[in-house]
Amino acid sequence: MTDQSEVQRARACLRSGLPIPAGSVREIILESWLRCRAKRVPMEDGDKRVLPAPEVEQRIARRRNLCQVAFPYLDALYDFIKGSEFLALLSDEEGYVLYEQGDPGISAIARQNGLVKGACRSEARLGTNGIGTVLATQSPLQVFGAEHYYAIHTNWACSGAPIYLPDGSVGGVVCLSGMADKVNDHTLGMVVAAADAISRQLKLKDAYDALALAWKNLDIIIETVPAAICLLDENLNVLAFNAQATKQLDVLPKDLENACFLDLVGRDAVSAQEIKNGLANRSVTFERGRKKHTISLSVQATGKREYVALIEQLSTLHKRVNNIMGNDAHFSFQDIVGSSPPMQEAVRMAQIAARNDATVFLAGESGTGKELFAQAIHNASPRRDGPFIAVNCGALPKSLIEAELFGYESGSFTGAKREGCAGKFELANGGTIFLDEIGDMPFDVQVTLLRVLQNREVRRIGASKTIKIDVRIITATNQDLERLVADKVFREDLFYRINVFHIRIPPLRERVGDVRLLSQFFLFKYGSTLPDGCVSGFTQEALDLMERYPWPGNVRQLENSVERAVYLTADGPITPAGLPPELRDDQGLSPAPGVRDAPANRSAHQAVESSLSVRKNERQRIEQALQQTHGNVKEAAVLLEISRRTLYRRLHQYGIDCGILRT
């Protein structure tokens, strides 16, 4: 936590118009201060006007979806923190407080400061704070003590996190506010989890509202719905159905009329109470004659003691899930660009993996294309018609990752959906799940994942039964898992379980000749979007710079660099001037004589030979400079007229140990 005395001194400098000492205040706070000062927001006398109660209620009514979802979450959050002297707050997208709940003591102090329902906490009103600054940055933030812009708030601590609406815009902020001496390390985490849960629920509600609107015209549209629909009475007997229902349930229409729905899907698979409580994408298997059927069952009450059952084949559900989540596998092995031996070996191994069902482990630096390989393996496998679900383990909050992966039952935890929720493994049933950044998975969740790998079944949080799954698992990381195992942060038994089929994806610096191929590929990709095809290629000098650069960001960095160069080049070929500064700054060493004058249309073989010649020339010059300076990197960099950073990169690239030259 930032030293408050340092922050106070920084505030004094801000107030006086003096330069603020570097490092005395967090950068995100300093940026907020400067925004507020630019808008002439006063530091001593904030605008504490409060909306009249009728206007507040009008705001709540206009944001009905947000408030209907968020208020119950905040009630539960307040029940959890009750007695801790904190306020639970919800603001709208303009910073107006729509919900305020707190213990009597802190509520009284808040009223004195104007922190009540109807107050506006935007930066333009009250400067840096846990609501206004979160709205400005659209990221979670804890504003502590003197970091507040408005002087009277300097003994408060505010933790806020944005709520995202289904369209991706910020709809409001969840905030916990209290005295600074009451804050703890978990406050911001609770707020982030609550805001994330509300955002997810809003997205689900938006989808369900759209479905409910369609059901209002059931008599007209029921036969146009591609999924099977059954309307059930309070005793779960079938009142109405469409033609798809007879196909999915494998019964004749006369046998479906007034039939007991539990008898149709099997009483062992689902209970009457579960149906009445509501279901979402429950995988149900039943037998009809000698045939075995597996369906996805969702049930929702209509509010009139009736229930709508939505029945789908898992394959249909999986395709829609992929479309909604953006996880559909688009790439194949034909989309992998590269002719270098290391890349060809990685592709060969991946093609072998696609022909079997072994668990695959993709190892490679960031930007090398691990998800591209995962999608290619999926699309070349017998599971190509099944779902492809990608999960970034490092991006999921630790408090939610188990629920996200394995699902949960109704009432499993505060904020859980009434009907429960399927996890990513269930959604991937019949297809492939790609667990990216597996090294960031919490240690306790690793135990559960190991059981899933061993038994091929998942148990939702709060459930008493397990669910069998048929999933191909691909994992990936840019970390050294063996080191994580040695450090006791990654389970050794899980490492061996996921490392069945190991594929190393080489970094771009090891792929001799591929930089040229990839550059031409990305040039065509982005150049074709411009009118008249004004970018004609690369100059030889530009290609030489690109081939010599080590590309720490790998293919992703190369693609971004080419895209930038295409947009900066008015016409003709891309020159070094169009390349990012780090490429030009990193090339203080001259290429071998004659390389820049080589014909632009030379063969790929000649290009590789020239590139190797450049590297040999550079290595010799570096070794000579180090010998002259007895291994002193600083002096050698001066002789070579390059930066020390560039020289260190070259030492690593060429495997030169300057330590043996020191005297």
Side-chain angles (χ1 to χ4, degrees), residues 279-585:
L279 294 172
N281 302 323
R282 170 70 68 84
S283 179
V284 174
T285 300
F286 61 89
E287 293 185 0
R288 189 83 68 226
R290 294 184 177 182
K291 296 176 64 177
K292 192 174 184 179
H293 301 269
T294 301
I295 60 172
S296 172
L297 175 63
S298 299
V299 181
Q300 183 173 340
T302 65
K304 299 180 180 179
R305 295 186 179 181
E306 295 174 345
Y307 307 89
V308 174
L310 184 67
I311 306 162
E312 293 182 273
Q313 289 292 329
L314 283 182
S315 58
T316 303
L317 173 66
H318 290 148
K319 290 179 181 178
R320 190 168 66 255
V321 167
N322 284 340
N323 290 335
I324 293 174
M325 299 177 65
N327 283 329
D328 198 11
H330 301 289
F331 298 108
S332 65
F333 286 116
Q334 286 70 35
D335 296 306
I336 299 176
V337 179
S339 60
S340 62
M343 197 61 175
Q344 289 298 304
E345 175 62 14
V347 171
R348 186 186 72 84
M349 292 289 289
Q351 290 172 334
I352 295 173
R355 297 196 291 268
N356 58 63
D357 222 18
T359 300
V360 175
F361 176 57
L362 301 174
E365 298 176 6
S366 294
T368 52
K370 295 186 286 296
E371 184 164 354
L372 172 63
F373 268 78
Q375 292 189 21
I377 292 171
H378 170 80
N379 282 329
S381 74
R383 297 175 177 271
R384 65 179 65 89
D385 294 327
F388 177 85
I389 303 295
V391 182
N392 188 326
C393 300
L396 292 174
K398 291 183 179 180
S399 58
L400 298 177
I401 186 170
E402 193 165 5
E404 283 286 324
L405 290 177
F406 311 119
Y408 58 84
E409 291 295 319
S410 172
S412 301
F413 50 86
T414 301
K417 290 198 306 181
R418 184 171 61 87
E419 67 274 18
C421 183
K424 295 295 192 296
F425 272 90
E426 284 185 66
L427 295 176
N429 198 24
T432 303
I433 187 167
F434 174 51
L435 301 178
D436 199 5
E437 304 301 343
I438 187 74
D440 293 328
M441 179 172 287
F443 198 81
D444 54 341
V445 181
Q446 294 176 28
V447 179
T448 308
L449 177 60
L450 181 62
R451 288 199 297 268
V452 172
L453 290 168
Q454 290 174 335
N455 303 327
R456 297 292 165 171
E457 59 185 22
V458 297
R459 187 193 303 273
R460 292 184 180 184
I461 297 175
S464 58
K465 297 180 180 179
T466 59
I467 301 172
K468 287 287 185 182
I469 57 170
D470 174 24
V471 177
R472 186 351 166 10
I473 298 172
I474 301 176
T475 63
T477 186
N478 60 6
Q479 301 184 65
D480 184 351
L481 279 193
E482 292 184 344
R483 181 180 58 79
L484 295 182
V485 169
D487 294 341
K488 305 298 184 183
V489 294
F490 198 86
R491 292 182 61 95
E492 184 177 18
D493 46 4
L494 178 59
F495 171 71
Y496 290 123
R497 179 66 68 171
I498 66 175
N499 198 28
V500 176
F501 206 103
H502 184 105
I503 300 174
R504 178 181 179 270
I505 304 175
L508 191 52
R509 62 182 175 274
E510 296 179 7
R511 297 169 56 181
V512 177
D514 283 353
V515 170
R516 182 179 294 263
L517 292 175
L518 288 164
S519 299
Q520 296 292 347
F521 174 81
F522 293 134
L523 174 63
F524 176 79
K525 175 180 177 181
Y526 294 106
S528 61
T529 64
L530 299 178
D532 304 325
C534 52
V535 182
S536 59
F538 297 88
T539 66
Q540 190 57 49
E541 186 178 16
L543 284 173
D544 287 339
L545 291 177
M546 296 170 72
E547 288 188 320
R548 289 190 301 183
Y549 186 66
W551 298 108
N554 292 296
V555 179
R556 185 184 296 119
Q557 183 188 8
L558 174 61
E559 179 175 4
N560 294 341
S561 299
V562 173
E563 181 183 8
R564 174 185 184 275
V566 167
Y567 299 146
L568 290 176
T569 303
D571 53 37
I574 293 172
T575 67
L579 299 176
E582 59 267 23
L583 269 71
R584 302 193 302 272
D585 295 344

Side-chain angles (χ1 to χ4, degrees), residues 107-317:
S107 294
I109 299 173
R111 283 194 297 272
Q112 295 174 3
N113 291 334
L115 181 52
V116 294
K117 194 173 176 180
C120 182
R121 310 294 290 182
S122 70
E123 277 193 344
R125 284 282 191 93
L126 293 176
T128 308
N129 68 87
I131 290 178
T133 305
V134 170
L135 287 173
T137 62
Q138 298 190 7
S139 60
L141 178 66
Q142 184 175 81
V143 182
F144 186 82
E147 292 179 333
H148 287 86
Y149 186 83
Y150 187 31
I152 200 170
H153 295 152
T154 54
N155 58 343
W156 285 74
C158 303
S159 303
I163 297 171
Y164 291 96
L165 301 179
D167 64 1
S169 63
V170 174
V173 173
V174 176
C175 183
L176 286 180
S177 292
M179 295 294 100
D181 59 351
K182 302 291 185 181
V183 75
N184 60 61
D185 295 337
H186 306 296
T187 306
L188 184 59
M190 285 192 298
V191 171
V192 171
D196 186 65
I198 293 170
S199 300
R200 292 177 183 275
Q201 188 67 24
L202 283 169
K203 189 173 182 179
L204 290 174
K205 185 178 186 303
D206 187 63
Y208 279 122
D209 286 347
L211 185 59
L213 181 63
W215 281 341
K216 288 182 180 180
N217 299 311
L218 179 63
D219 291 338
I220 300 174
I221 67 170
I222 189 170
E223 288 300 335
T224 68
V225 177
I229 292 179
C230 290
L231 179 64
L232 313 178
D233 64 17
E234 59 183 325
N235 296 317
L236 304 186
N237 295 318
V238 179
L239 294 176
F241 55 90
N242 64 355
Q244 282 289 333
T246 62
K247 296 179 181 178
Q248 303 291 0
L249 295 172
D250 194 17
V251 292
L252 297 173
K254 64 182 181 64
D255 295 327
L256 193 51
E257 295 175 359
N258 299 317
C260 177
F261 191 74
L262 286 176
D263 291 337
L264 293 170
V265 298
R267 294 178 180 270
D268 293 335
V270 64
S271 68
Q273 193 59 48
E274 286 177 317
I275 289 179
K276 292 181 178 181
N277 288 341
L279 294 172
N281 302 323
R282 170 70 68 84
S283 179
V284 174
T285 300
F286 61 89
E287 293 185 0
R288 189 83 68 226
R290 294 184 177 182
K291 296 176 64 177
K292 192 174 184 179
H293 301 269
T294 301
I295 60 172
S296 172
L297 175 63
S298 299
V299 181
Q300 183 173 340
T302 65
K304 299 180 180 179
R305 295 186 179 181
E306 295 174 345
Y307 307 89
V308 174
L310 184 67
I311 306 162
E312 293 182 273
Q313 289 292 329
L314 283 182
S315 58
T316 303
L317 173 66

Side-chain angles (χ1 to χ4, degrees), residues 614-632:
V614 168
R615 288 163 171 76
K616 182 179 180 181
N617 179 272
E618 288 181 349
R619 181 182 182 118
Q620 290 175 347
R621 293 184 58 207
I622 291 172
E623 290 175 339
Q624 290 172 0
L626 288 171
Q627 288 172 356
Q628 292 179 37
T629 60
H630 304 289
N632 188 307

